[in-house]
Amino acid sequence: MANVASAAVSDTVRVSEILENPHGNCALGGVNAALSALNGAVQIYHTGPGCCMQTTVGEAGQAGGRVPLISGVQIPCSNMLERDVVLGGIEKLDTHVAGAIEIIRGDAYFILTGCTAGIIGDDVESLAKRYRDAGHPVYAVQSAGFLGESYHGYEIAVKALLDSIVEPEPREKRQDLVNVLGILPYHDPFWEGNFEEIRRLLGKLGLKANTFFGQDEGVNAVRSSSRAALNIVLSPWLLKDAMEEYKSRFAIPALRFPFVPVGAADTAAFLRGVGKALGREAQAEQAIAEEERYFYHYLESAIGVQSWKRYAVVGESANVAGLTRFLANEYSFAPEVSIVTDPVPVGEDREYLAAALRDLDYAKPPEVVFTGDQWEINQALSRFPELSLVVGSTNEREYATQRNIQFLVASYPNTERLIFNRAIAGYRGALAFLEDLYSNT
């Protein structure tokens, strides 16, 4: 027990910085966001009732208005109280696991631990193993909120899937199968639309893109991910350990693209990179030619409908870089500042991202700021009095409105816009983004 407590204190110290209006959630929220988007997965919370409500119903209101099918008051939760802190909550959890299996049909059941269970050291793994021994696919995920923020939770979720769901010895390798990861469901307002566009484009190369999360994916897709020929990560920093594990266990190499490709130039670079990695260069060039004819047919009619802008983009690193580059390289706007709100590690990861933001075709590179604190974000924006466009989250709307700056919500949290499968990725996502930009003039 002493070791568990000391670990909890250490982790608390690491995440103890106070943020104003954070652009994310705790580790538990990140795990839940990922598993909520995995068809066939059922989450069972071993937490207090507040954790369950805050990371499901409360968060859904900040993620584009969409609520996962199993969430909030529907999700099984042990509702730990003071008595459970003193005596342990395994017996109560046991009844909830049994009830979930009886009532909710699922391909896999994941017990998610909150801070309370993590601190007192409830042995949820032994409980999960007992159910597995009885033939039920139940798995424990150590997901206490104090372990970190949402993106760390996403990595915990992917690691849990690797350990529990993925075929340890795939029956066959598929040269036409690729895994696409790096986009956190619900925390990226465009996550499902972006996955749809990426799947569509990779399909033109003759590839089946397995994105784990979304309408057409699920536990079975995760299970077969060890058969893939390539892992594609759309992030400058996420899932390094997971990619190493895929490589060591299944000999699957990884291709990391440091941002979500938006528009013709970066999407062409993305498709060429995938084509080269898999020996499908000819298919990539054919897809690029077809898509560019479609894209520029519409883009040329939109040149000039928007007045020239000095702009800022605020949000998650992969989308900030993608949108900053698109507006500068293909729409000739002038980037002033790019503010990254996810915790990109200091060092080579931040440099990797900054290099992508410096490497612009024409415009002067923006200042790059790394912070998730709203006061610091507002201070950074205030250093650029000539801003005429802010692309960010609902948190930035107040700043832009007070200064009569055009504003477009395109990152988490989003409490004002319902988003189903709207995308910013690829060719069609970029056109949709320009439509949104014009409509929010």
Side-chain angles (χ1 to χ4, degrees):
M1 182 66 69
N3 290 336
V4 173
S6 63
V9 171
S10 176
D11 284 329
T12 302
V13 170
R14 288 206 301 270
V15 297
S16 63
E17 180 181 357
I18 297 174
L19 300 181
E20 177 185 337
N21 293 343
H23 289 62
N25 206 314
C26 65
L28 175 62
V31 173
N32 181 72
L35 295 181
S36 293
L38 181 64
N39 290 329
V42 177
Q43 307 94 274
I44 303 169
Y45 269 51
H46 188 37
T47 70
C51 292
C52 184
M53 297 298 289
Q54 287 297 322
T55 58
T56 55
V57 169
E59 186 171 284
Q62 302 182 61
R66 298 176 58 199
V67 181
L69 181 61
I70 299 177
S71 67
V73 294
Q74 298 171 307
I75 202 167
C77 180
S78 61
N79 293 323
M80 299 181 74
L81 300 173
E82 289 87 345
R83 179 181 182 277
D84 306 305
V85 173
V86 176
L87 301 177
I90 287 295
E91 291 185 8
K92 181 189 285 189
L93 174 63
D94 191 1
T95 64
H96 284 78
V97 174
I101 292 172
E102 180 179 357
I103 295 172
I104 304 174
R105 181 179 299 174
D107 297 317
Y109 300 81
F110 295 93
I111 302 172
L112 308 187
T113 57
C115 291
T116 302
I119 290 172
I120 67 174
D122 270 351
D123 188 4
V124 294
E125 176 53 44
S126 293
L127 177 65
K129 185 177 184 303
R130 176 153 54 86
Y131 276 94
R132 289 198 301 275
D133 291 342
H136 302 291
V138 178
Y139 307 96
V141 183
Q142 297 297 334
S143 52
F146 58 66
L147 292 175
E149 37 52 59
S150 301
Y151 293 93
H152 183 58
Y154 170 63
E155 294 194 308
I156 291 173
V158 173
K159 172 62 174 172
L161 295 175
L162 261 168
D163 291 342
S164 60
I165 301 298
V166 176
E167 287 179 338
E169 297 180 1
R171 294 190 301 274
E172 60 178 346
K173 283 289 187 178
R174 290 184 51 183
Q175 294 306 308
D176 64 340
L177 180 65
V178 296
N179 301 319
V180 181
L181 293 162
I183 298 175
L184 176 53
Y186 298 103
H187 279 63
D188 177 351
F190 304 104
W191 70 275
E192 198 151 16
N194 284 347
F195 276 147
E196 287 183 8
E197 174 69 353
I198 294 298
R199 283 199 298 265
R200 184 186 72 83
L201 291 171
L202 292 177
K204 291 201 162 194
L205 275 63
L207 298 171
K208 167 67 171 69
N210 174 12
T211 61
F212 285 28
F213 311 111
Q215 180 180 8
D216 299 322
E217 307 291 351
V219 169
N220 287 333
V222 174
R223 187 171 289 122
S224 64
S225 65
S226 56
R227 306 179 188 181
L230 182 69
N231 281 329
I232 301 170
V233 184
L234 299 175
S235 168
W237 66 283
L238 285 171
L239 300 180
K240 288 185 176 181
D241 290 343
M243 293 306 99
E244 283 298 318
E245 186 167 348
Y246 267 106
K247 184 177 180 180
S248 63
R249 288 176 58 186
F250 311 117
I252 302 176
L255 173 66
R256 183 174 295 275
F257 204 76
F259 49 85
V260 172
V262 183
D266 285 338
T267 306
F270 168 73
L271 292 176
R272 287 189 176 108
V274 175
K276 181 178 180 180
L278 295 175
R280 295 173 182 252
E281 293 93 334
Q283 295 95 319
E285 292 303 327
Q286 181 178 346
I288 291 167
E290 293 173 357
E291 291 296 319
E292 287 189 351
R293 282 196 299 270
Y294 180 93
F295 177 77
Y296 286 119
H297 167 75
Y298 291 104
L299 184 67
E300 65 183 8
S301 66
I303 298 298
V305 300
Q306 277 279 325
S307 59
W308 182 73
K309 303 288 184 182
R310 293 184 179 275
Y311 67 94
V313 184
V314 184
E316 189 269 334
S317 55
N319 284 352
V320 166
L323 288 173
T324 296
R325 290 173 57 84
F326 170 66
L327 288 174
N329 291 343
E330 299 191 62
Y331 217 62
S332 299
F333 285 2
E336 295 276 44
V337 59
S338 298
I339 303 177
V340 177
T341 58
D342 53 318
V344 182
V346 175
E348 64 178 10
D349 294 323
R350 290 196 178 187
E351 178 53 35
Y352 188 36
L353 178 64
L357 288 165
R358 286 196 301 266
D359 184 24
L360 302 179
D361 292 340
Y362 309 109
K364 178 182 177 182
E367 180 179 329
V368 182
V369 176
F370 295 89
T371 180
D373 180 81
Q374 196 59 46
W375 184 85
E376 293 181 357
I377 290 170
N378 291 347
Q379 289 296 109
L381 292 172
S382 68
R383 295 201 296 271
F384 302 92
E386 296 184 2
L387 277 176
S388 51
L389 170 66
V390 173
V391 180
S393 73
T394 295
N395 289 358
E396 285 73 57
R397 173 177 283 283
E398 181 179 2
Y399 179 92
T401 301
Q402 289 176 348
R403 291 156 182 80
N404 198 30
I405 299 172
Q406 182 183 353
F407 172 79
L408 177 62
V409 63
S411 63
Y412 182 96
N414 162 33
T415 60
E416 58 197 78
R417 182 182 179 192
L418 178 63
I419 299 175
F420 290 127
N421 63 343
R422 198 75 164 172
I424 61 170
Y427 298 94
R428 299 188 180 186
L431 293 176
F433 177 77
L434 291 179
E435 289 179 343
D436 293 339
L437 187 63
Y438 181 81
S439 299
N440 285 270
T441 300

